Amino acid sequence: MSIQILLRRRKIRNAMHLQLSFPHLLVCLLTIASFPPNIVCDSTDETVREKGFWEKRNFVMGFTRININAHSRSYNSGFVKAVSENCEAFGYRSIQDKDTCVEAAKALLPDGYDAFTVNRFRDVTNGCTTYVRLGLNNLVFQKDICDTEVYQQYCNTCDEFFPCLCQVPETTAADLPQKKEEFIVLSEGNCSEYDGYATIQNKQECMNAADFLFPQHGSMESDYFSDVIDGCTIDEKGGIIFNPPNQCNKEKYKNYCTQCDSIFKCMCVKETYDYKLITSGDCGTHGFEAIQNVQECVESAKSLKINIESGPYVVDVTDQRSGCTTHVNSLVINQGLCNADSYPRACMTCDETFSCLCKKPVSKILSGESTYKVITSGTCDRIMGYRPIDNKTDCIEAAAAAMKTEDFRPLISQPAVTDGCTFYVDGDWKSAVYNQPGTCDNNLYQAFCDRCDISFPCICVRDSRRLRSDVHTP
């Protein structure tokens, strides 16, 4: 006589079936109850499916629903837990051996595991998985065991009942895009339209570009030209022309001023960037851009001398900010699109846990696109393309840029000064004031609380998200 024990974890799936003799069953249950590690209860072929059994007895053998997100991360250890699709769908790797499975369990299961099952279940996906039964954490490793003919829908799927433990691949040098040339030449479009390159800003760099691209070039013209695109160009005879910004007459020669052509080819320089580590707001609110590729992510961390012990890890997830971030001394770049509806805080805000690495093209700084704007009337939130500064650290940085000195006294919580970031200069006395929203006392100082003025000018920070027609200068 045999007893069929059907372990079902949802209506449409018989998760496990054990067909055991009565003595075998008693031994197995008594053994599990003693909590020894690495105990395996053999299963045999699953041949009988009692439809509806799980609805009647959903407590059978103590299956516990595991409430975790789409994946939980332990980047520092190089492992993640996935509960949808499969490891490869998120840019991870399925674990291929028992030892690595155990290593992943140590990193991702804070309470450890009580039993380790190897190659036993035909309806559980191959690789390293875990499940909870009778209050015990069970670790499962399978290789080429899942029956794809009978259980195809389960053999390549991780879910909340059998989460997969995955390995995060570390990007190697071979995975990175090739380094760009220092200079390139264009006969159409313009330098700013070509990804990763910028318009040359000075004569010396123009000559460097000509030497690199055209070793037999002629001399540089001493004059400027109103019908040649700004920047560095070479004409049909090899002569070099450098036009500083705004030299080309766009009203009269619009096409010539915006396009390189076969007569005046443009020489462009590889863009360089100013990098910043952001722990509040996001890149845009600080006047920077998010970093979207692996090479720039690595370069930014090196430039800022950030202590990175592992990574870069390339992921494609929906519950983490897109772009380049640091997490527990690891470098992570999310190439997926963050789902702001489900994870608003994770998608919209950089913080100490997931700090953002951001960039700003140096060419924009040189061309006068300022990160900060000083105003003496109105308020920052009425200036198109700018917003009020919302933290003390950024206020101090902005004040140093506005006053062109770091020799000033930072102050906070001044009830007679408008909220946000302001500064005050009186001879040798210089102060930067940061007031959190609600600090200025409207009852006593209403005339000062809702506007910037000449005594305490406001410093606004550039925000590309506020380039809208409904925001206007007062």
Side-chain angles (χ1 to χ4, degrees):
M1 177 181 179
S2 65
I3 295 179
Q4 303 264 349
I5 297 182
L6 173 60
L7 306 183
R8 295 196 56 174
R9 55 187 189 79
R10 58 187 176 193
K11 293 181 180 179
I12 61 172
R13 179 178 178 187
N14 299 333
M16 294 181 194
H17 301 266
L18 303 184
Q19 189 175 38
L20 308 172
S21 67
F22 189 72
H24 189 177
L25 172 64
L26 285 177
V27 171
C28 183
L29 292 177
L30 289 174
T31 306
I32 291 177
S34 65
F35 292 53
N38 303 329
I39 290 298
V40 175
C41 293
D42 293 344
S43 65
T44 60
D45 288 341
E46 301 148 83
T47 55
V48 178
R49 306 281 177 171
E50 293 184 14
K51 188 174 182 180
F53 186 81
W54 176 252
E55 292 86 43
K56 298 175 184 176
R57 300 188 180 182
N58 56 10
F59 56 88
V60 173
M61 296 299 287
F63 261 110
T64 303
R65 185 180 180 88
I66 303 172
N67 294 315
I68 56 180
N69 293 327
H71 45 78
S72 56
R73 296 177 292 276
S74 179
Y75 287 125
N76 202 41
S77 64
F79 299 103
V80 299
K81 186 187 292 182
V83 296
S84 65
E85 299 187 65
N86 53 58
C87 296
E88 283 67 26
F90 293 103
Y92 312 136
R93 293 174 183 164
S94 296
I95 291 174
Q96 300 294 327
D97 61 85
K98 293 185 291 184
D99 293 340
T100 306
C101 185
V102 171
E103 186 180 347
K106 291 178 181 178
L108 296 173
L109 305 180
D111 298 325
Y113 60 93
D114 302 290
F116 185 20
T117 303
V118 178
N119 289 343
R120 294 297 175 188
F121 306 122
R122 295 192 299 135
D123 58 350
V124 176
T125 188
N126 293 316
C128 185
T129 60
T130 181
Y131 69 94
V132 178
R133 184 178 65 183
L134 291 176
L136 305 180
N137 289 321
N138 293 267
L139 186 64
V140 178
F141 175 74
Q142 307 211 131
K143 191 166 186 177
D144 302 326
I145 293 298
C146 195
D147 190 336
T148 56
E149 293 184 4
V150 180
Y151 306 109
Q152 183 177 2
Q153 69 271 41
Y154 307 130
C155 288
N156 197 33
T157 302
C158 315
D159 55 40
E160 59 190 0
F161 296 97
F162 282 88
C164 299
L165 307 190
C166 311
Q167 195 164 17
V168 180
E170 184 166 350
T171 305
T172 64
D175 299 319
L176 299 177
Q178 295 298 310
K179 187 176 181 180
K180 294 183 176 180
E181 295 287 357
E182 187 69 20
F183 302 102
I184 60 169
V185 60
L186 299 178
S187 57
E188 61 181 14
N190 58 64
C191 296
S192 61
E193 293 176 350
Y194 201 84
D195 186 41
Y197 286 87
T199 301
I200 290 174
Q201 300 285 334
N202 60 73
K203 286 186 176 181
Q204 183 58 58
E205 194 166 52
C206 184
M207 288 302 294
N208 292 342
D211 291 341
F212 179 84
L213 295 168
F214 305 98
Q216 305 301 318
H217 66 80
S219 59
M220 178 178 285
E221 296 284 350
S222 58
D223 295 330
Y224 301 144
F225 297 88
S226 61
D227 59 348
V228 177
I229 190 170
D230 292 342
C232 183
T233 57
I234 183 169
D235 63 25
E236 291 179 304
K237 297 181 180 180
I240 307 301
I241 298 173
F242 174 74
N243 266 356
N246 303 315
Q247 183 61 41
C248 192
N249 189 334
K250 293 182 180 179
E251 292 184 2
K252 191 173 182 180
Y253 304 107
K254 181 179 179 181
N255 291 337
Y256 297 152
C257 292
T258 58
Q259 298 291 315
C260 313
D261 54 44
S262 58
I263 299 175
F264 291 96
K265 296 183 177 70
C266 298
M267 289 177 278
C268 313
V269 63
K270 185 176 72 171
E271 183 67 273
T272 55
Y273 296 92
D274 180 26
Y275 297 109
K276 185 174 183 178
L277 184 68
I278 302 296
T279 57
S280 65
D282 61 16
C283 295
T285 60
H286 291 263
F288 282 67
E289 304 170 11
I291 294 173
Q292 301 292 351
N293 70 64
V294 179
Q295 184 172 341
E296 283 187 321
C297 188
V298 173
E299 288 176 357
S300 65
K302 290 180 179 178
S303 175
L304 295 170
K305 296 181 172 58
I306 299 173
N307 179 29
I308 299 297
E309 298 175 359
S310 61
Y313 298 123
V314 181
V315 299
D316 184 350
V317 296
T318 60
D319 67 340
Q320 179 191 322
R321 286 199 59 79
S322 300
C324 180
T325 58
T326 62
H327 172 67
V328 197
N329 297 119
S330 297
L331 196 61
V332 182
I333 183 160
N334 180 19
Q335 296 181 337
L337 182 64
C338 195
N339 187 337
D341 292 334
S342 300
Y343 309 100
R345 179 174 175 80
C347 293
M348 301 299 292
T349 305
C350 309
D351 53 34
E352 296 289 345
T353 303
F354 280 91
S355 303
C356 301
L357 287 163
C358 309
K359 67 177 182 179
K360 173 183 282 191
V362 171
S363 62
K364 290 186 178 180
I365 300 172
L366 294 176
S367 63
E369 185 177 305
S370 177
T371 301
Y372 305 110
K373 187 178 184 69
V374 176
I375 61 173
T376 56
S377 64
T379 58
C380 292
D381 54 12
R382 294 181 64 81
I383 304 296
M384 186 168 69
Y386 289 84
R387 65 166 180 82
I389 291 173
D390 59 8
N391 65 81
K392 180 183 176 183
T393 301
D394 287 349
C395 181
I396 292 174
E397 181 178 317
M403 293 188 284
K404 296 181 173 57
T405 179
E406 295 184 358
D407 184 18
F408 60 87
R409 182 181 179 187
L411 301 173
I412 59 172
S413 301
Q414 302 298 307
V417 180
T418 189
D419 294 340
C421 183
T422 59
F423 68 97
Y424 175 78
V425 179
D426 184 7
D428 293 333
W429 178 267
K430 299 179 179 68
S431 298
V433 180
Y434 174 68
N435 277 353
Q436 292 181 339
T439 300
C440 192
D441 192 333
N442 270 289
N443 294 325
L444 296 177
Y445 307 105
Q446 184 177 3
F448 306 132
C449 288
D450 59 355
R451 63 179 62 88
C452 312
D453 56 43
I454 193 68
S455 298
F456 283 89
C458 298
I459 310 174
C460 315
V461 65
R462 188 168 182 81
D463 186 352
S464 58
R465 298 176 305 175
R466 301 191 70 251
L467 295 172
R468 308 190 310 262
S469 58
D470 60 325
V471 183
H472 57 277
T473 304

